[in-house]
Amino acid sequence: MTLTALTVLGVRLEAAWFGPPPDQAATLVLLHEGLGCVALWKAFPQRLAELTGCGVLAYSRAGYGASDPVTLPRPLSYMHEEAREILPRVLDAANVQRAVLVGHSDGASIALINAATVVDPRVRGLVLIAPHVFTEPMGLDSIRGAREAYQSGALRERLARYHRHVDVAFRGWNEAWLDPDFAAWNLRGFIPGIHCPSLLLQGRQDQYGTHKQLDAIEAGCSGPCQVVWLDHCGHSPHREQPEVTLETIRHFVADLALKGAPPS
């Protein structure tokens, strides 16, 4: 692992690189969940690099990990802005030439928006782990539960080990999702814009979303789509079922056309 930092639009973003550099292999770009960061991927990036032979780039979005903070409240369009304005510049700053976007939860939604709207020829595929494309009552209930755990101090104490600006990290995510106007948040209109191959993974016991999330993506996307459901697994397949998740991604990446220049 090589720790580094990327500067995007004047903001310093914590980053880490695993495996070969971008001029030697394709890059799997990890996009973390709503409370994630580089460190919270744990051993997953290193294992992913070893199994696929690809480079793996993990970075903490602004407000998370050791990245610069953001001003609260976050706009309710924060995932759209990350996908359209920040992510392409992250790929530029890291000199990524051929990419597979590997997103979890909020990060998966960001990957989806990017693939559907930016149409970047560097992006050859998507791995969407527990993606959100609309809100569901049970998911919002879980987010309210997270707020209670944070206010009690237990969750805040755990997150403070990973986030330099822990209140910014938590409130930026939690308060956006629990804003009454966020109930109308919906990405269904973007899904037909996805033309690259996609791998969708979700645990059957996901506490933040039902099968309707993956069903909507599978039914609507324009490119090849593979759906994998994991038994005895909640919202974080890469932590709860790491071996199955890694092997599934390995097979998916091996089947992609990741060599050579981007198609014109």
Side-chain angles (χ1 to χ4, degrees):
M1 177 181 71
T2 302
L3 293 174
T4 184
L6 305 172
T7 300
V8 174
L9 297 178
V11 176
R12 180 188 178 280
L13 302 178
E14 170 193 32
W17 194 278
F18 305 81
D23 60 343
Q24 295 182 15
T27 304
L28 309 184
V29 181
L30 299 188
L31 305 172
H32 62 74
E33 63 188 298
L35 293 177
C37 63
V38 168
L40 278 167
W41 286 107
K42 303 292 181 71
F44 184 72
Q46 185 64 50
R47 294 288 311 282
L48 202 54
E50 292 168 356
L51 284 171
T52 63
C54 295
V56 175
L57 172 66
Y59 75 98
S60 300
R61 298 191 294 274
Y64 295 98
S67 294
D68 286 347
V70 297
T71 300
L72 298 180
R74 284 187 182 274
L76 302 190
S77 59
Y78 73 92
M79 284 182 265
H80 298 70
E81 294 174 6
E82 187 73 30
R84 293 166 165 167
E85 302 299 328
I86 306 303
L87 180 54
R89 291 176 169 87
V90 167
L91 301 186
D92 292 343
N95 194 32
V96 171
Q97 300 168 34
R98 293 159 288 153
V100 177
L101 304 181
V102 181
H104 174 223
S105 194
D106 275 19
S109 302
I110 290 166
L112 185 155
I113 297 168
N114 175 273
T117 63
V118 177
V119 194
D120 189 332
R122 294 174 293 187
V123 175
R124 308 293 185 87
L126 299 178
V127 176
L128 307 180
I129 304 172
H132 305 290
V133 290
F134 47 84
T135 60
E136 293 184 274
M138 54 85 73
L140 295 176
D141 285 344
S142 293
I143 293 171
R144 291 186 189 96
R147 178 178 61 187
E148 293 172 3
Y150 192 82
Q151 291 172 342
S152 74
L155 180 57
R156 187 183 190 280
E157 182 178 351
R158 292 200 302 272
L159 291 175
R161 303 169 193 163
Y162 299 99
H163 299 289
R164 184 174 295 170
H165 308 282
V166 64
D167 291 333
V168 170
F170 183 82
R171 291 180 53 208
W173 165 76
N174 192 263
E175 292 176 4
W177 273 88
L178 294 181
D179 187 298
D181 291 337
F182 200 82
W185 180 88
N186 196 306
L187 303 183
R188 282 191 180 96
F190 293 117
I191 295 171
I194 300 173
H195 294 273
C196 63
S198 302
L199 169 64
L200 316 180
L201 298 101
Q202 187 170 354
R204 293 193 186 278
Q205 289 74 43
D206 192 333
Q207 62 271 41
Y208 287 95
T210 70
H211 66 89
K212 295 178 182 179
Q213 305 288 334
L214 266 57
D215 290 351
I217 300 171
E218 183 182 21
C221 69
S222 300
C225 183
Q226 176 186 356
V227 175
V228 175
W229 286 97
L230 302 177
D231 293 317
H232 312 295
C233 183
H235 189 57
S236 301
H238 58 293
R239 289 195 287 267
E240 299 171 53
Q241 296 281 0
E243 299 306 322
V244 176
T245 300
L246 285 162
E247 190 64 15
T248 302
I249 296 174
R250 184 184 73 80
H251 281 288
F252 174 75
V253 170
D255 290 338
L256 293 176
L258 293 175
K259 296 183 179 180
S264 59

